[in-house]
Amino acid sequence: MKSNIFKNSKNVFLDIVNAEDYIQIDRVSKMYHSFKDSVNKPLKMLLLYGKPGTGKSMFLTKLYHDLLSSRIVYLYQTPILDDSEFFKTLAKDILDVKYQGDLNFTQFMKILENRALDYVPIVLLDEAQLYSNFLIEKIRLLSDTRKIKFVITLHKTEKEDLIAKEHFQTRIWDSIELKNASASELKVYIQKKLMKANCFDSANMFKDSSVKLIHNLTHGNYRDTNKLLYILFDIYSHYHENNPAKINTISISNKIIEMSAIHTGLIHV
Amino acid sequence: MFDINELERKWLTYKIKSYLPHAIIIISTLVIFITLFTTINYQNSKSRVQNGNTAAVAKDGNISKVKAETITAKKVDSNTQNTPLENTPQKAQETINEKFFNEKNETKKVETKVVLTPSLSFMDKINKSTVSEPIRIIEAEAPAVETVKEEERVIAKEEAITLEEPKGSINIKRQNIQNDIEQVIKRFKKSNDPTLSLFIAKSYYNAGDYNLAYNYALITNEIDSNQETSWIIFAKSLVKLDQKDKAVETLKEYIKQSHSANAKTLMDEILSGEMK
Ligand SMILES: Nc1ncnc2c1ncn2[C@@H]1O[C@H](COP(=O)(O)OP(=O)(O)O)[C@@H](O)[C@H]1O
Ligand SMILES: [Mg+2]
């Protein structure tokens, strides 16, 4: 029996955000570089927004990774929702001050003003739509001091659009909206991702027509595509071990794509 | 994890569901076509049965077919008074034409004038028995004509409405087809309009009554020898009456004068045996 090439392929599509797994997609790549340049300009704040699953966390993680060598940069992937905890974490990381008890905004500002940093630390906040309006307002005030530069990501819904407008409109110098992949971008994404993990055989199985069907089902959303392909390779693995006559290794079967879509809820039966 | 059998079953359901609308459309179109086809066939066979005895008699050449016709015509006459009508009945008649006859041959004006002259003894027989008869009827009925224009109009309108209905009126149509012909015969007797007699010829031809079709084609031709369709129905009826040679002869004569493509096609079909 041939080794199961599908097991490795399956793990490629685990929903993990890791800078090493970042895939360059032409359009996003251009945006990325201009955004990265903006970080070095004297701007108060940068905003990254888009629907869930469009690659914001991935983008931010990659940015963090790339800035590490040249800048003082901090990444907070999960929001720190408690006000005091948020300021204490910033004090500890940026100012190297370990604070006992509660720390409020006024106290934190005092410490920041008394400390003459000869650089502007960059703070990356993922999932900023989860922060309270109060905290968002304080982040805005902190940005105004130009002593800390914030780069934040927001899910784009109507509500979050409002937050973005109200709190950041006047302060944001640069913002980028991430969008779902087009069918051709999705093909690049899938194949590059598989090839990075040395899954060349399964990468070759993705013909234009299969990718088109996947794109129809996921609308090019990276997270939905990951979920779908994870299940797809799970099913392939299963057939490979139990009923190899049902699969071929030339191209991805539409039937299995649709079965995966049914399982992940992209198709309702 | 997943249950592969369950997933395969769900997938099948999904596939069936997604093909269902297409299948329904295809099946229902088929059903409509089959229903239409069988109803038309049924209509034809029914009117054939209605004309059956008279037609057979006429073929024997003993009794005038038109006798029966006279009776029915009279009957209808007494119900609805007959008057030459202009617009509405004309329209109704056109609708009937469109609805019931798939005659591809459009009437075309031909410059040259050739008139059909049946010379066979067979033709004489038919001439004597049928062609002369309607004329007599016209004369006989003429004085009895009263003008009840309004009533007639209403009837004609109703007729037009029923005929325009696409579905569901199949039964009404079936009952009316014989009636319709009779109505048109009445109108023709009043107006001597060749489009009406041509319509009657077509109707009888389609109903399988080739003697009457022959007669009315001939009548039409006498009034207007440029009516291509009258020649074609005349020839087709002849073929049906086992007079293939006469049909070809007639068509040849007509083609000489008119160069009609339709007539040529028909002649080829007759000669090749395609048209039987
Ligand atoms: N450029 C990319 N390269 C590799 N993987 C990506 C890329 N963009 C998105 N992904 C994958 O898509 C998934 C969803 O992206 P994520 O950044 O979490 O979306 P968001 O934060 O906008 O909800 C991630 O698990 C990630 O693996
Ligand atoms: Mg995210």
Side-chain angles (χ1 to χ4, degrees), chain B residues 248-267:
Chain B
V248 174
E249 210 179 290
T250 313
L251 280 173
K252 264 187 197 155
E253 195 63 28
Y254 178 55
I255 291 164
K256 235 193 262 167
Q257 312 293 323
S258 70
H259 309 286
S260 153
N262 284 329
K264 262 181 208 152
T265 320
L266 179 63
M267 194 171 78

Side-chain angles (χ1 to χ4, degrees), chain A residues 195-214:
Chain A
M195 287 190 313
K196 247 188 167 165
N198 292 330
C199 302
F200 300 104
D201 291 335
S202 32
N204 275 331
M205 288 171 73
F206 285 86
K207 309 281 185 276
D208 281 351
S209 60
S210 326
V211 176
K212 212 176 158 197
L213 176 58
I214 295 168

Side-chain angles (χ1 to χ4, degrees), chain B residues 27-181:
Chain B
I27 290 169
S28 47
T29 1
L30 273 178
V31 167
I32 290 168
F33 267 104
I34 291 166
T35 328
L36 276 179
F37 187 73
T38 41
T39 7
I40 287 166
N41 269 0
Y42 181 65
Q43 279 175 2
N44 284 348
S45 58
K46 202 180 167 187
S47 37
R48 212 172 287 145
V49 169
Q50 282 174 351
N51 292 330
N53 47 353
T54 45
V57 170
K59 234 177 200 164
D60 287 343
N62 294 331
I63 309 164
S64 150
K65 195 260 144 230
V66 188
K67 248 184 193 170
E69 203 188 301
T70 320
I71 297 158
T72 35
K74 261 182 191 161
K75 198 170 71 202
V76 182
D77 272 1
S78 56
N79 291 341
T80 50
Q81 293 292 339
N82 219 16
T83 3
L85 292 172
E86 322 91 59
N87 291 334
T88 346
Q90 203 77 329
K91 248 179 217 158
Q93 187 246 319
E94 274 162 29
T95 329
I96 299 163
N97 263 332
E98 282 166 24
K99 288 276 166 186
F100 291 100
F101 304 100
N102 307 329
E103 275 299 337
K104 282 173 210 129
N105 314 322
E106 289 292 348
T107 44
K108 210 168 36 180
K109 289 284 168 200
V110 185
E111 286 306 310
T112 48
K113 294 211 173 195
V114 197
V115 181
L116 285 171
T117 43
S119 57
L120 295 174
S121 60
F122 163 83
M123 301 301 159
D124 290 342
K125 208 156 55 182
I126 294 169
N127 271 344
K128 249 183 257 157
S129 58
T130 54
V131 181
S132 50
E133 283 290 329
I135 296 153
R136 228 189 292 148
I137 296 157
I138 294 167
E139 286 159 8
E141 294 293 309
V145 171
E146 293 288 336
T147 45
V148 196
K149 277 188 182 167
E150 272 314 304
E151 204 184 316
E152 178 89 26
R153 269 213 182 99
V154 171
I155 291 160
K157 261 181 204 160
E158 277 171 1
E159 224 178 286
I161 290 159
T162 20
L163 289 168
E164 270 155 27
E165 272 174 30
K167 279 180 215 161
S169 59
I170 290 163
N171 281 334
I172 304 164
K173 278 183 196 166
R174 199 183 295 149
Q175 287 167 5
N176 281 357
I177 186 159
Q178 188 59 26
N179 258 348
D180 289 336
I181 297 180

Side-chain angles (χ1 to χ4, degrees), chain A residues 56-57 126-127 155 223:
Chain A
K56 298 182 299 293
S57 300
D126 201 1
E127 312 274 357
H155 278 184
R223 182 165 295 121

Side-chain angles (χ1 to χ4, degrees), chain A residues 21-36:
Chain A
D21 300 336
Y22 188 84
I23 293 197
Q24 301 283 356
I25 294 156
D26 283 356
R27 185 174 52 95
V28 187
S29 185
K30 270 184 211 134
M31 285 159 68
Y32 176 82
H33 288 294
S34 79
F35 198 78
K36 199 176 144 211

Side-chain angles (χ1 to χ4, degrees), chain A residues 12-25 28 49-61 126-127 153-155 178 189 193 196 221-224 226:
Chain A
V12 168
F13 294 101
L14 280 167
D15 202 40
I16 298 170
V17 173
N18 187 336
E20 274 105 70
D21 300 336
Y22 188 84
I23 293 197
Q24 301 283 356
I25 294 156
V28 187
Y49 68 102
K51 288 182 198 138
T54 48
K56 298 182 299 293
S57 300
M58 197 69 189
F59 193 106
L60 200 69
T61 308
D126 201 1
E127 312 274 357
T153 75
L154 274 181
H155 278 184
L178 292 185
Y189 171 75
K193 221 170 155 95
K196 247 188 167 165
N221 187 282
Y222 294 104
R223 182 165 295 121
D224 290 345
N226 284 355

